[in-house]
Amino acid sequence: MEPEVKDEKKTDTVLITDVDSEVDLRDKDEALRLVGLERTAQFTEEYYAKLRRKLDFVIPPLCAAVYCTQYLDKTALSYASIMGFPVTGQGYNLVALSFYIGFLIWVFPSMYIAQRLRLGKYLGANIVAWGTIMMLHAIPRSFGPFFAMRLILGMLESCVAPILILIVSMFYKKDEQGSRIAWFYMMNGVAGIFGGFIAYGISFIPNRGFAPFKIIYLMLGALAIAVGIAVLLFMPDSPTNARFLSKEERIAAIERIRDEQGGTENKRLKKEQVVEALLDIRTWLIVLATLLTNIPNGGLANFTNIIVKGFGYTTKQTLILSTPGGFIGILSAVLCGWYSDRAGERMLPIVWSLIPTLAGAAMLVGLNGSGQKGALLFATWIVGTYGSSLAIIYAYNASNTSGHTKKVTVNAMTLAAFCVANIVGTETFLPKDAPGYLPGKISILVLLSAQLALCFIIRWVNLWMNRRKRRALEEMKRQNGWSDEDLKRERERAAFVDMTDKQNPFFEYTA
C-alpha cells in the first residue's frame, strides 16, 4: 500500500503522512532503494568527512576532465581561425554559430533521454562520439561539412553541463556544491592555457600540405575519446549504484544529503514538474541571467584571438599572449566558488565576478583604436572573469531546485538560454566591424550592467520565498501540534519523495 499523500493547498506542499506503508519506488526518489523514508542509519561527522574525501578523489577530477575536454573542443575553432582554417568571413561566423544551433536543438531531448538512462554511461558515450567527430574535422575543405560537424558537436555536447550539475547535486551538500562546480568550471581557464600553448607549438610545424589546424582537431579528438572511455568506466551514475563505494558508503552518501531536501534522481518524467518549472518566476529570472551573461561569451569565445591579433601582434604572439587570461579565469572561478559556499550566497559572487569584466570592457571601448597594445591586452585578460558567473548559475540551479524532472527541465532551460545567448553573441562581432569590433565591446558593457541589477532582484526573491516558507512551516507546526522532534521526523520523510522545491515545505533556497 502506498503512503497517503496529502495536498496542503494553502502552503502548496505535499506531505507524507504514513511511512509504515510500502512505498511505490516508481514515483519516489531512487535513494529509497537503499534507505527508508526516515533515517535509520547514523554516521559520525568523521565518517562523512572521510566519505567526502573519497568522493572528491573520483567525481571532481572526472568532471574537470570532461569540462576541460569540452571547452577545448568548443574553442578549437578559435585556434583554427588563425592556423589555416579554410572558412573565413561570414562563413566562419556561421560555422561558429552552428555549434549552438545543434546544442539548442538537442538539449531538451538529450536531458530527458538522460533521465531515463544511467547518467555516467550516457555522458561517456556522448564524449566518445564527439571525439570522433572532432577528428573528422581534418578531412573537409569547404563550408558545408564544417557547418554540419559543428552542428553535431553541439548536439553531443549539450548534455555535459546539465549532467555534471545533476551528479554534483546528488553527492554534495549545498554548501559544498559551489566549490565543486567551480573545480570543474575552472577548467575553462586551464583549457585556455593548455590549448594556447599546444596551438603555439603546432604553429611552428611547417605547412607541407597538411594545415596546422588539422593537427589541433586530431589531437583534441583523440583526447576526448580517452576522456569518454574514462567516464564510461569510472563516473558514478548516482549514490545508489556508485561502484567505487561500498554499500555502507552508498547509504552514508545518501544520508549525508538527506537534510538538504534535494533528493537524488527519479527515472519517471513527471509532466506536473515540467509545468511547475515553466511557471516558476525563478526559472525565468535565471534564464534571463544566463542570457545577459553569455551573449558576451558568444563573441569572446570565438573572436578573442582575432581581436588580440588585431592589436598588431603576430599569430604566434597572439597564441601565447592569450594564456594569462586563462590563469585569471582559473583564479576567478575558484574564488567565486569558495566564497559562494562559505557565505551561503549565489548572486553576490556573480556581482564580484562582473566588476573586473566591466572595467576591462570599458577599457576596450575607451582605448579602441588608440594603439596602446599593452593596456588593450590587459583588458582582454580581465574581461574573462565574467565566465565565473556561469559556474555560480550552475551552482544556483543545483542548490535551488528540487524534484528530479524539474531539475532536469530547469538545467535544460538554462543551457538553452546559454545557446541562444551564444548565437546572438556571435552576431555582435561582425566582419564589417573588424578589427576593432566596437559594437560587440559596447554590448558587453550594457548587458553585464543590466545583469548586476538582476542579481540583486533574484537574491531578494529567494530571501522573500524563504521567509514565506518559514511562516508556512510555523503555521503547519501549530495546526498539527508538532513538537520539534515531530518536525525533524517530517523533514526526514520529505527528503526522498521527489517533491519539488515549491511542494516541499522544508526546502530552503540559497540566495
Coordinates of all heavy atoms in Angstrom, one line a residue, residues 90-137:
Q90 N 31.9 35.7 -43.2 CA 30.6 35.4 -42.7 C 30.4 33.8 -42.6 O 29.7 33.3 -41.7 CB 29.5 36.0 -43.5 CG 28.1 35.8 -43.0 CD 27.8 36.4 -41.6 OE1 28.6 37.4 -41.3 NE2 26.9 35.9 -40.9
G91 N 31.1 33.1 -43.5 CA 31.1 31.7 -43.4 C 31.6 31.2 -42.1 O 31.1 30.2 -41.5
Y92 N 32.7 31.8 -41.6 CA 33.3 31.4 -40.3 C 32.3 31.7 -39.2 O 32.1 30.9 -38.3 CB 34.6 32.2 -40.1 CG 35.2 32.0 -38.7 CD1 36.0 30.9 -38.4 CD2 34.9 32.9 -37.7 CE1 36.5 30.7 -37.2 CE2 35.4 32.7 -36.4 CZ 36.2 31.6 -36.2 OH 36.8 31.4 -34.9
N93 N 31.6 32.9 -39.3 CA 30.6 33.2 -38.3 C 29.5 32.1 -38.2 O 29.0 31.7 -37.1 CB 29.9 34.5 -38.6 CG 30.7 35.7 -38.1 OD1 32.0 35.6 -37.9 ND2 30.1 36.8 -37.7
L94 N 29.1 31.6 -39.4 CA 28.0 30.6 -39.4 C 28.5 29.3 -38.9 O 27.7 28.6 -38.3 CB 27.5 30.5 -40.9 CG 26.7 31.7 -41.4 CD1 26.4 31.5 -42.9 CD2 25.4 31.9 -40.6
V95 N 29.7 28.9 -39.2 CA 30.3 27.7 -38.6 C 30.3 27.8 -37.1 O 30.0 26.8 -36.4 CB 31.7 27.4 -39.2 CG1 32.4 26.2 -38.5 CG2 31.6 27.0 -40.7
A96 N 30.8 28.9 -36.6 CA 30.8 29.1 -35.1 C 29.4 29.0 -34.6 O 29.1 28.4 -33.5 CB 31.4 30.5 -34.8
L97 N 28.4 29.6 -35.3 CA 27.0 29.6 -34.8 C 26.4 28.2 -34.8 O 25.6 27.9 -34.0 CB 26.2 30.5 -35.8 CG 24.7 30.6 -35.6 CD1 24.4 31.4 -34.4 CD2 24.1 31.3 -36.8
S98 N 26.8 27.4 -35.8 CA 26.2 26.1 -35.9 C 26.3 25.2 -34.7 O 25.4 24.4 -34.4 CB 26.7 25.3 -37.1 OG 28.1 25.0 -36.9
F99 N 27.4 25.3 -33.9 CA 27.5 24.6 -32.7 C 26.4 24.8 -31.7 O 25.8 23.9 -31.2 CB 28.9 25.0 -32.0 CG 29.1 24.3 -30.7 CD1 29.8 23.1 -30.6 CD2 28.6 24.9 -29.5 CE1 30.0 22.5 -29.4 CE2 28.8 24.2 -28.3 CZ 29.5 23.0 -28.2
Y100 N 26.0 26.1 -31.6 CA 25.0 26.5 -30.6 C 23.6 26.1 -31.2 O 22.7 25.9 -30.4 CB 25.1 28.0 -30.3 CG 26.4 28.3 -29.6 CD1 27.4 28.9 -30.3 CD2 26.7 27.9 -28.3 CE1 28.7 29.2 -29.7 CE2 27.9 28.1 -27.7 CZ 28.9 28.8 -28.4 OH 30.1 29.0 -27.8
I101 N 23.4 26.1 -32.5 CA 22.2 25.7 -33.0 C 21.9 24.2 -32.7 O 20.9 23.8 -32.2 CB 22.1 25.9 -34.6 CG1 22.2 27.4 -34.9 CG2 20.9 25.2 -35.2 CD1 22.3 27.7 -36.4
G102 N 23.0 23.4 -32.9 CA 22.9 22.0 -32.6 C 22.6 21.8 -31.1 O 21.8 20.9 -30.7
F103 N 23.3 22.5 -30.3 CA 23.1 22.5 -28.8 C 21.7 22.8 -28.4 O 21.0 22.1 -27.7 CB 24.1 23.5 -28.2 CG 24.4 23.3 -26.8 CD1 25.7 23.1 -26.4 CD2 23.5 23.4 -25.8 CE1 26.1 23.0 -25.0 CE2 23.8 23.2 -24.4 CZ 25.1 23.0 -24.1
L104 N 21.1 23.9 -29.0 CA 19.8 24.3 -28.7 C 18.7 23.3 -29.2 O 17.7 23.0 -28.5 CB 19.5 25.6 -29.4 CG 18.2 26.3 -29.1 CD1 18.0 26.6 -27.6 CD2 18.0 27.6 -29.9
I105 N 18.9 22.7 -30.3 CA 18.0 21.7 -30.9 C 17.9 20.5 -30.0 O 16.8 19.9 -29.7 CB 18.4 21.2 -32.3 CG1 18.2 22.4 -33.3 CG2 17.7 20.0 -32.7 CD1 18.9 22.1 -34.7
W106 N 19.0 20.0 -29.4 CA 19.1 18.7 -28.7 C 19.1 18.7 -27.2 O 19.0 17.7 -26.6 CB 20.3 18.0 -29.3 CG 20.3 16.5 -29.0 CD1 21.3 15.8 -28.3 CD2 19.4 15.5 -29.4 NE1 21.0 14.5 -28.2 CE2 19.8 14.3 -28.9 CE3 18.2 15.6 -30.2 CZ2 19.1 13.1 -29.1 CZ3 17.5 14.4 -30.4 CH2 17.9 13.2 -29.9
V107 N 19.3 19.9 -26.6 CA 19.5 19.9 -25.1 C 18.3 19.4 -24.4 O 18.5 18.6 -23.4 CB 19.9 21.4 -24.6 CG1 18.7 22.3 -24.9 CG2 20.3 21.3 -23.2
F108 N 17.1 19.7 -24.8 CA 15.9 19.1 -24.1 C 15.7 17.6 -24.3 O 15.6 16.9 -23.4 CB 14.6 19.9 -24.5 CG 14.5 21.2 -23.8 CD1 14.9 22.4 -24.4 CD2 14.0 21.3 -22.5 CE1 14.8 23.6 -23.8 CE2 13.9 22.5 -21.9 CZ 14.3 23.7 -22.5
P109 N 15.7 17.2 -25.6 CA 15.6 15.7 -25.8 C 16.8 15.0 -25.1 O 16.5 13.9 -24.5 CB 15.7 15.6 -27.3 CG 15.3 16.9 -27.9 CD 15.7 17.9 -26.9
S110 N 18.0 15.5 -25.2 CA 19.1 14.8 -24.6 C 18.9 14.7 -23.1 O 19.2 13.6 -22.5 CB 20.4 15.6 -24.8 OG 21.5 14.9 -24.4
M111 N 18.4 15.7 -22.4 CA 18.3 15.6 -20.9 C 17.2 14.7 -20.5 O 17.3 14.0 -19.5 CB 18.1 17.0 -20.3 CG 19.4 17.8 -20.3 SD 20.8 16.9 -19.7 CE 20.2 16.5 -18.0
Y112 N 16.1 14.6 -21.3 CA 15.0 13.7 -20.9 C 15.4 12.3 -21.2 O 15.0 11.4 -20.5 CB 13.7 14.2 -21.6 CG 13.2 15.4 -21.1 CD1 12.8 16.5 -21.9 CD2 13.0 15.6 -19.7 CE1 12.3 17.7 -21.4 CE2 12.5 16.8 -19.2 CZ 12.2 17.8 -20.0 OH 11.7 19.0 -19.5
I113 N 16.2 12.1 -22.3 CA 16.8 10.7 -22.5 C 17.7 10.3 -21.4 O 17.6 9.2 -20.8 CB 17.5 10.7 -23.9 CG1 16.6 10.9 -25.0 CG2 18.3 9.4 -24.0 CD1 17.3 11.1 -26.4
A114 N 18.5 11.3 -20.9 CA 19.5 11.0 -19.8 C 18.8 10.7 -18.6 O 19.2 9.8 -17.8 CB 20.4 12.2 -19.6
Q115 N 17.6 11.3 -18.3 CA 16.8 11.0 -17.1 C 16.4 9.5 -17.1 O 16.4 8.9 -16.0 CB 15.6 11.9 -17.0 CG 14.8 11.6 -15.8 CD 13.6 12.6 -15.6 OE1 13.4 13.5 -16.5 NE2 12.8 12.4 -14.6
R116 N 16.2 8.9 -18.2 CA 15.7 7.5 -18.2 C 16.9 6.5 -18.2 O 16.7 5.3 -17.9 CB 14.9 7.3 -19.5 CG 13.7 8.2 -19.7 CD 12.7 7.9 -18.5 NE 12.2 6.6 -18.6 CZ 11.1 6.2 -19.2 NH1 10.4 7.1 -20.0 NH2 10.7 5.0 -19.2
L117 N 18.1 7.0 -18.5 CA 19.3 6.1 -18.6 C 20.2 6.4 -17.5 O 19.9 7.2 -16.6 CB 20.0 6.4 -19.9 CG 19.1 6.2 -21.2 CD1 19.9 6.6 -22.4 CD2 18.6 4.8 -21.3
R118 N 21.3 5.7 -17.5 CA 22.4 5.9 -16.4 C 23.2 7.1 -16.9 O 23.8 7.1 -17.9 CB 23.2 4.6 -16.3 CG 22.3 3.4 -15.8 CD 23.2 2.1 -15.7 NE 24.2 2.3 -14.6 CZ 24.9 1.2 -14.2 NH1 24.8 0.0 -14.8 NH2 25.8 1.4 -13.3
L119 N 23.3 8.1 -16.0 CA 23.9 9.3 -16.4 C 25.3 9.2 -16.8 O 25.7 9.8 -17.8 CB 23.8 10.3 -15.2 CG 22.5 10.9 -14.9 CD1 22.6 11.9 -13.7 CD2 21.9 11.7 -16.1
G120 N 26.2 8.5 -16.0 CA 27.6 8.4 -16.4 C 27.8 7.7 -17.7 O 28.7 8.2 -18.5
K121 N 27.0 6.7 -18.0 CA 27.2 5.9 -19.2 C 26.8 6.8 -20.4 O 27.4 6.8 -21.5 CB 26.4 4.6 -19.2 CG 26.8 3.7 -18.0 CD 28.3 3.4 -17.9 CE 28.7 2.6 -16.7 NZ 28.7 3.5 -15.5
Y122 N 25.7 7.5 -20.3 CA 25.2 8.3 -21.3 C 26.1 9.4 -21.6 O 26.4 9.7 -22.8 CB 23.8 8.9 -20.9 CG 23.2 9.8 -22.0 CD1 22.6 9.2 -23.2 CD2 23.1 11.1 -21.9 CE1 22.0 10.0 -24.1 CE2 22.5 11.9 -22.9 CZ 22.0 11.3 -24.0 OH 21.4 12.1 -25.0
L123 N 26.7 10.0 -20.6 CA 27.7 11.1 -20.8 C 28.9 10.6 -21.5 O 29.4 11.2 -22.5 CB 28.1 11.7 -19.4 CG 29.2 12.8 -19.4 CD1 28.8 14.0 -20.2 CD2 29.5 13.2 -18.0
G124 N 29.5 9.4 -21.0 CA 30.6 8.9 -21.6 C 30.5 8.5 -23.1 O 31.4 8.8 -23.9
A125 N 29.3 8.0 -23.5 CA 29.1 7.6 -24.9 C 29.0 8.9 -25.7 O 29.6 8.9 -26.9 CB 27.7 6.9 -25.0
N126 N 28.5 10.0 -25.2 CA 28.4 11.2 -26.0 C 29.8 11.8 -26.2 O 30.1 12.3 -27.2 CB 27.5 12.2 -25.3 CG 26.1 12.1 -25.6 OD1 25.6 12.7 -26.6 ND2 25.4 11.3 -24.8
I127 N 30.7 11.7 -25.2 CA 32.0 12.2 -25.3 C 32.8 11.4 -26.3 O 33.5 12.0 -27.2 CB 32.8 12.1 -23.9 CG1 32.0 13.0 -22.9 CG2 34.2 12.6 -24.0 CD1 32.5 12.8 -21.5
V128 N 32.7 10.1 -26.3 CA 33.4 9.3 -27.3 C 33.0 9.7 -28.7 O 33.8 9.8 -29.7 CB 33.2 7.8 -27.1 CG1 33.8 7.0 -28.2 CG2 33.9 7.4 -25.8
A129 N 31.7 9.9 -28.9 CA 31.1 10.2 -30.2 C 31.6 11.6 -30.7 O 32.0 11.8 -31.8 CB 29.6 10.2 -30.1
W130 N 31.6 12.6 -29.7 CA 32.1 13.9 -30.2 C 33.6 13.9 -30.5 O 34.1 14.7 -31.3 CB 31.6 15.0 -29.3 CG 32.5 15.5 -28.2 CD1 33.8 15.9 -28.3 CD2 32.1 15.7 -26.8 NE1 34.3 16.3 -27.1 CE2 33.2 16.3 -26.2 CE3 30.9 15.5 -26.1 CZ2 33.2 16.6 -24.8 CZ3 30.9 15.9 -24.8 CH2 32.0 16.4 -24.1
G131 N 34.3 13.1 -29.7 CA 35.8 13.0 -30.0 C 36.0 12.5 -31.5 O 36.9 13.0 -32.2
T132 N 35.2 11.5 -31.9 CA 35.3 11.0 -33.2 C 34.9 12.1 -34.3 O 35.6 12.3 -35.3 CB 34.3 9.8 -33.4 OG1 34.6 8.8 -32.4 CG2 34.4 9.2 -34.8
I133 N 33.9 12.9 -34.0 CA 33.5 14.0 -34.9 C 34.7 15.0 -35.0 O 35.0 15.6 -36.0 CB 32.2 14.7 -34.4 CG1 31.1 13.7 -34.5 CG2 31.9 15.9 -35.3 CD1 30.7 13.2 -35.9
M134 N 35.3 15.3 -33.8 CA 36.4 16.2 -33.8 C 37.5 15.8 -34.8 O 38.1 16.6 -35.5 CB 37.0 16.4 -32.4 CG 36.2 17.2 -31.5 SD 36.2 19.0 -31.9 CE 37.9 19.4 -31.5
M135 N 37.9 14.5 -34.7 CA 38.9 14.0 -35.6 C 38.6 14.1 -37.1 O 39.4 14.3 -37.9 CB 39.3 12.6 -35.2 CG 39.9 12.5 -33.8 SD 40.4 10.8 -33.3 CE 42.0 10.8 -34.2
L136 N 37.3 14.0 -37.3 CA 36.8 14.1 -38.7 C 36.9 15.5 -39.3 O 36.9 15.7 -40.5 CB 35.4 13.6 -38.8 CG 35.1 12.1 -38.6 CD1 33.6 11.8 -38.6 CD2 35.9 11.3 -39.6
H137 N 37.2 16.5 -38.4 CA 37.4 17.9 -38.9 C 38.6 18.0 -39.8 O 38.8 19.0 -40.5 CB 37.4 18.8 -37.7 CG 36.1 19.3 -37.2 ND1 35.2 18.4 -36.6 CD2 35.5 20.5 -37.2 CE1 34.2 19.1 -36.2 NE2 34.3 20.4 -36.6

